[in-house]
Amino acid sequence: MDVPGTLIEAIPLLEDLYYASVTCAGLPLEQLAADRIGCVPNGEGTVPGFLPERHQLVFRSVDTPDQAPDDDTVQRVIYRTDLPYRAEHSSIRYPAELNRRPTTVGALGPYVSLLCGHQDYVENCALLSAVQAVGSAARLREIRAVAYTYVHRFRHRTADQGNAHDRRTTLEDISDGLSQLEVELSYSVEAGAEIGMLVPALRVESFHQELFGAIGVTERAATIGQMVNRLDSAIAAELTSVESMERRAADRRRVRTVVAVTFVTTVSGTLSLLFGFFGINARQVDEHRSMFDDHYTPIYALIATILLCALAIFAGMRLQERWEERRDRSRTRTWESTHRLLAREAGAVVLDPAAQPPSPQPRRLPDPRSPDASDRSPRTTLR
């Protein structure tokens, strides 16, 4: 947008443009931009608005050193307020390469940048740099929002999960999402801070680095990267816990299998003894009686007792296994707060003010006028 007049006169326009409160031919800026790029309205019939990340560029031609704006004018444009300031309290950056000549000025702020006396290609590269910086800031905000969503899912991961398989599936999904966030953080945010390999110009590279520093994209990317890494470490530790639970469950299944095999062996051995009993040539075995005759009731009662004992042992071990599984799930049922975690590990006496021991009261000296003061008064013996 070409604006006639001085830099000070353009400050109100910059303020209105920043908040998108300017119309062109009756259309707001968001509608005008959507029409220019061919944006399709959503289901409600409206076009999506601007993102909160934005940066304004102000260019001005300078022919002589006298036309270059002074520091006070620069700060009024950068802060979009026509008010004086104190130079020691300012976040304006002055890239060295953009202020090398008397007729060139380059000043950067978090939301407005001012370039005076530079060539057209430098102004065009500054526009591309600002687009990259604003896009990286917007992507960083989205990564931060998704990371907090994963943190919420990780904290409430055991609210509706009944076994280790569901927990492992949830943790694996979060871990896969975090790996994608790390790639997106590296290639969409951190890689955008380097422009020297794409545009081999000192002024452009100096402007780009200072712009990323003024917006704070580099520091915020480092902070969010630490958040993602620590959440990844917490998920790895939780997966280790789940693997331990699965190993214990596998051990219990192995023990149960051994018990079942032993049970089958016991039953088959018992039946072998029974059929061997009926196959021997002894007077206790009457060939005129059926094997289901009441005469052999003690033998069948003994076999039934053995089978019931084996079944009771198996059922008891199964109940004990289910009780141990419920106990393991109850250990990490909900996410503990920092106070509760430290209180449990370090002791509630240190953290809970209500549980702290009472502070010692100051000692009171006895009143010499009381009748029993002589009994409580200290005595000194000289030898």
Side-chain angles (χ1 to χ4, degrees), residues 254-327:
R254 184 167 54 253
V255 172
R256 189 169 64 249
T257 303
V258 171
V259 171
V261 172
T262 305
F263 169 75
V264 173
T265 305
T266 303
V267 172
S268 61
T270 305
L271 294 177
S272 299
L273 290 176
L274 176 62
F275 294 140
F277 170 77
F278 284 109
I280 62 176
N281 187 12
R283 63 183 180 86
Q284 288 80 7
V285 180
D286 190 356
E287 62 180 2
H288 299 289
R289 295 176 183 269
S290 173
M291 64 179 298
F292 299 106
D293 194 271
D294 295 339
H295 178 72
Y296 302 111
T297 301
I299 299 298
Y300 288 110
L302 178 61
I303 295 175
T305 303
I306 294 175
L307 295 178
L308 290 177
C309 291
L311 182 61
I313 294 174
F314 182 81
M317 296 185 66
R318 178 56 181 168
L319 291 176
Q320 182 183 4
E321 178 185 353
R322 293 178 65 87
W323 177 78
E324 292 179 355
E325 289 179 354
R326 288 195 300 267
R327 184 185 62 181

Side-chain angles (χ1 to χ4, degrees), residues 354-367:
Q356 291 183 358
S359 58
Q361 299 295 330
R363 217 167 123 189
R364 299 181 60 183
L365 296 177
D367 189 0

Side-chain angles (χ1 to χ4, degrees), residues 97-118:
E97 295 296 332
L98 296 178
N99 297 272
R100 186 172 52 186
R101 302 184 183 279
T103 57
T104 58
V105 176
L108 287 79
Y111 306 104
V112 181
S113 295
L114 175 63
L115 281 77
C116 301
H118 292 279

Side-chain angles (χ1 to χ4, degrees), residues 7-22 29 54 56 58 76-82 111-112:
L7 293 175
I8 300 299
E9 295 174 350
I11 291 177
L13 179 60
L14 289 175
E15 186 74 8
D16 294 336
L17 288 173
Y18 182 81
Y19 293 103
S21 59
V22 176
L29 288 183
R54 56 195 62 178
Q56 295 177 311
V58 180
R76 293 173 189 266
V77 175
I78 295 296
Y79 291 107
R80 301 194 306 272
T81 54
D82 192 7
Y111 306 104
V112 181

Side-chain angles (χ1 to χ4, degrees), residues 139-157:
R139 181 64 66 185
L140 187 62
R141 175 178 52 82
E142 296 175 353
I143 293 174
R144 181 179 181 273
V146 176
Y148 271 101
T149 302
Y150 286 149
V151 170
H152 179 76
R153 291 178 57 187
F154 178 73
R155 287 181 173 179
H156 300 81
R157 63 195 179 279

